[in-house]
Amino acid sequence: MRISEYKKVTKCRICKSSRLYKFLDYGSMPLANKFLEKSEFSDEKFYPLTCLFCKDCYLVQLGQVVSPKILFEDYPYVPSGSGVLMNDFNNLALEVDKRLNLSASSFVVDIGSNDGSLLSIFKNLGVRVLGIDPAHNLAKVAKDHGIATEVGLFNTKMAREIHRKFGQADLVCATNVVAHVDDVFEFLEAVSILLAQDGLFVCEFPYILDLVIKNEFDTIYHEHLSYFSLGSWQRLIKEAGFEIIDAKRVQIHGGSLRITNRLKKAETKPARRTINYLLWLEKQHGLTESETFGYFSDRVLKLKDEFTRAIHEVKVRDKRIVGLGAAAKASIVTNFFGLGPEAIDYIADSTPFKIGKYTPGKHIPIYSEEKVFFDKPDYCLIFAWNFADEIMRKYRKLRRKGTKFIVPIPEVKII
Ligand code: TYD
């Protein structure tokens, strides 16, 4: 195992405090989305993975930062494969369309636009769109579908260039992006350069409240640098010259927050009741106290015990287990729980970029979903538990024929 270069976090990303409490240590982990060819096994890189809680502004964040160039330039994740995710994008687009009354002259920018899934909805609503994404492979897919895309990491320089070329944006979206950014202040400055004075900045990220309540330890990996609460986001966005005008919990990615922000105005609107309610809820759940995260860590270790015991009991009976969804989460579960091809025959996935490759660290082969129907395994382990309903619907024929389904989170469940 080769431990590779990374930056160690010693100060909080938002408030610069050094009062950081380390509550979880995964040891050395591979990059969760770096699916490999067999020829790449010997060069695979591993990095420490720890999670910290800032005792001053309550931001939960990783203890190390791997270069975004390494993480995002060739990215296998595409949202268009999931009906649930596309539905979330549809809701987001219709919600903002109603609020902003978008027209043919409106300009919508999506940061981290991936294969252009969200922008294709705005395009169909008849507005001008531009995507920004560092992954060449995904930008190509987007462009092939007619979505103009700038390839690169979003920063102030890029924001100025886009502004000069296309004008100001009425809407800037960033779904599942800000949690991946190290210099959040630079990122938000770039958004403010691009955003029209009356424009909206809508962002969505996995919600730490859901992560803690539902034991979602497998959503913690090198790409996700920050795990925001509404409280920590509010502190950040205020300092960056924005204000929150709405916040909403959405079910995607195990529970996320969708936040509508705007540039700070002279007259501040009174906070919406939902904002105050969520801030209250976060306090109730102890998101401002380090003990909460200590307990979380204890629960994760207990889950590890229960889960490995359940898998062992299945394997001693000589039963076959196949994984469903080669999610990044699968990389965390298999590496942290020590499960390789001896326990999981293979993982089936719908993403073309992943099929034929191997999972990071444990090198479990990835096949297309058709193979599962043909093999009819005894057990299917749903790694993409956030899509459990959608996946169970897809495989309902197997269930009728006796295949059992294992869901690892929030607690081990065999269906
Ligand atoms: P996802 O949970 O979205 O994200 P992450 O990688 O951040 O953990 O990943 C879901 C994976 O599951 C993705 O590789 C696509 C795959 N998938 C299927 O194979 N079949 C399906 O029916 C669905 C919904 C997803």
Side-chain angles (χ1 to χ4, degrees):
M1 185 191 299
R2 235 171 68 196
I3 305 291
S4 301
E5 289 301 302
Y6 61 93
K7 198 172 86 187
K8 217 170 159 184
V9 172
T10 52
K11 286 200 162 70
C12 171
R13 175 162 300 114
I14 297 180
C15 73
K16 313 299 173 213
S17 164
S18 48
R19 297 199 322 131
L20 300 173
Y21 161 58
K22 179 165 90 179
F23 62 92
L24 204 53
D25 190 341
Y26 293 81
S28 286
M29 297 288 266
L31 300 177
N33 263 311
K34 284 281 173 225
F35 298 91
L36 317 113
E37 309 279 355
K38 232 182 200 159
S39 59
E40 295 170 311
F41 286 178
S42 55
D43 274 341
E44 189 169 21
K45 297 188 170 75
F46 289 75
Y47 302 82
L49 182 64
T50 58
C51 211
L52 316 171
F53 168 76
C54 173
K55 291 183 181 173
D56 288 308
C57 77
Y58 319 128
L59 177 70
V60 172
Q61 54 207 297
L62 286 195
Q64 36 285 126
V65 177
V66 176
S67 157
K69 279 212 157 74
I70 298 174
L71 289 169
F72 303 120
E73 269 187 354
D74 183 37
Y75 205 54
Y77 182 78
V78 275
S80 53
S82 159
V84 174
L85 203 50
M86 286 310 289
N87 201 28
D88 181 68
F89 283 170
N90 263 309
N91 290 340
L92 187 157
L94 295 177
E95 211 174 280
V96 204
D97 184 40
K98 198 165 148 202
R99 195 169 247 154
L100 277 175
N101 215 354
L102 297 169
S103 67
S105 62
S106 306
F107 181 38
V108 175
V109 174
D110 187 22
I111 307 169
S113 50
N114 201 287
D115 63 355
S117 298
L118 174 60
L119 287 180
S120 64
I121 303 168
F122 283 108
K123 199 174 170 210
N124 282 327
L125 288 171
V127 301
R128 291 187 299 138
V129 299
L130 178 73
I132 301 168
D133 203 284
H136 296 268
N137 60 327
L138 297 175
K140 184 174 177 316
V141 177
K143 284 181 195 168
D144 288 348
H145 287 100
I147 305 293
T149 306
E150 296 276 327
V151 180
L153 287 164
F154 184 64
N155 54 26
T156 47
K157 184 165 170 266
M158 186 188 266
R160 279 193 196 96
E161 268 164 34
I162 295 174
H163 185 198
R164 191 173 45 77
K165 271 208 269 186
F166 303 95
Q168 283 191 308
D170 302 284
L171 171 66
V172 174
C173 295
T175 58
N176 229 352
V177 175
V178 279
H180 300 58
V181 174
D182 186 19
D183 191 344
V184 278
F185 287 104
E186 214 238 333
F187 182 91
L188 292 172
E189 192 190 335
V191 173
S192 69
I193 290 169
L194 197 53
L195 196 62
Q197 206 51 37
D198 287 320
L200 293 181
F201 167 46
V202 175
C203 58
E204 221 174 81
F205 44 72
Y207 191 17
I208 183 71
L209 182 59
D210 286 293
L211 189 152
V212 168
I213 293 175
K214 295 181 237 164
N215 296 331
E216 296 169 354
F217 76 95
D218 54 349
T219 60
I220 296 176
Y221 46 87
H222 294 103
E223 284 158 35
H224 298 159
L225 298 175
S226 305
Y227 302 80
F228 292 105
S229 58
L230 183 61
S232 55
W233 178 259
Q234 194 177 42
R235 168 157 184 168
L236 166 66
I237 205 91
K238 255 189 195 163
E239 271 186 47
F242 288 80
E243 61 190 354
I244 300 175
I245 59 167
D246 202 2
K248 179 177 178 181
R249 289 178 85 172
V250 286
Q251 291 312 310
I252 208 71
H253 293 305
S256 297
L257 265 188
R258 180 184 301 156
I259 305 195
T260 307
N261 311 271
R262 67 173 186 185
L263 293 167
K264 195 160 172 41
K265 305 243 160 125
E267 72 325 330
T268 5
K269 274 192 187 170
R272 284 181 74 105
R273 272 165 48 211
T274 43
I275 297 175
N276 288 334
Y277 169 71
L278 285 173
L279 292 172
W280 172 83
L281 198 64
E282 289 178 1
K283 262 219 153 103
Q284 292 296 304
H285 280 90
L287 293 189
T288 50
E289 287 153 36
S290 34
E291 293 78 39
T292 306
F293 295 92
Y295 295 139
F296 171 76
S297 172
D298 294 343
R299 290 202 303 278
V300 171
L301 296 177
K302 193 165 157 254
L303 186 66
K304 180 179 181 175
D305 266 4
E306 286 168 4
F307 186 82
T308 40
R309 207 175 320 123
I311 298 292
H312 180 73
E313 277 164 18
V314 170
K315 290 313 283 181
V316 291
R317 288 189 285 122
D318 227 11
K319 301 285 182 197
R320 219 176 153 197
I321 309 177
V322 160
L324 298 182
K329 293 184 283 289
S331 307
I332 298 302
V333 170
T334 51
N335 284 283
F336 190 46
F337 289 1
L339 300 171
E342 73 296 337
I344 319 284
D345 287 20
Y346 60 90
I347 303 184
D349 198 281
S350 57
T351 319
F353 297 121
K354 295 182 184 176
I355 296 168
K357 295 199 172 174
Y358 294 82
T359 62
K362 290 295 173 191
H363 304 161
I364 301 170
I366 303 168
Y367 292 119
S368 72
E369 295 185 297
E370 287 76 49
K371 186 168 164 54
V372 189
F373 290 99
F374 181 77
D375 289 345
K376 301 183 189 68
D378 305 300
Y379 287 83
C380 281
L381 169 48
I382 305 183
F383 285 113
W385 46 259
N386 45 329
F387 297 119
D389 291 345
E390 191 173 349
I391 290 178
M392 298 267 285
R393 260 198 308 279
K394 192 182 269 181
Y395 292 94
R396 62 183 177 274
K397 264 192 192 153
L398 288 184
R399 203 174 153 202
R400 271 189 238 123
K401 287 191 173 138
T403 297
K404 292 201 160 61
F405 290 78
I406 309 174
V407 187
I409 286 189
E411 61 252 318
V412 190
K413 210 163 56 184
I414 299 183
I415 305 165

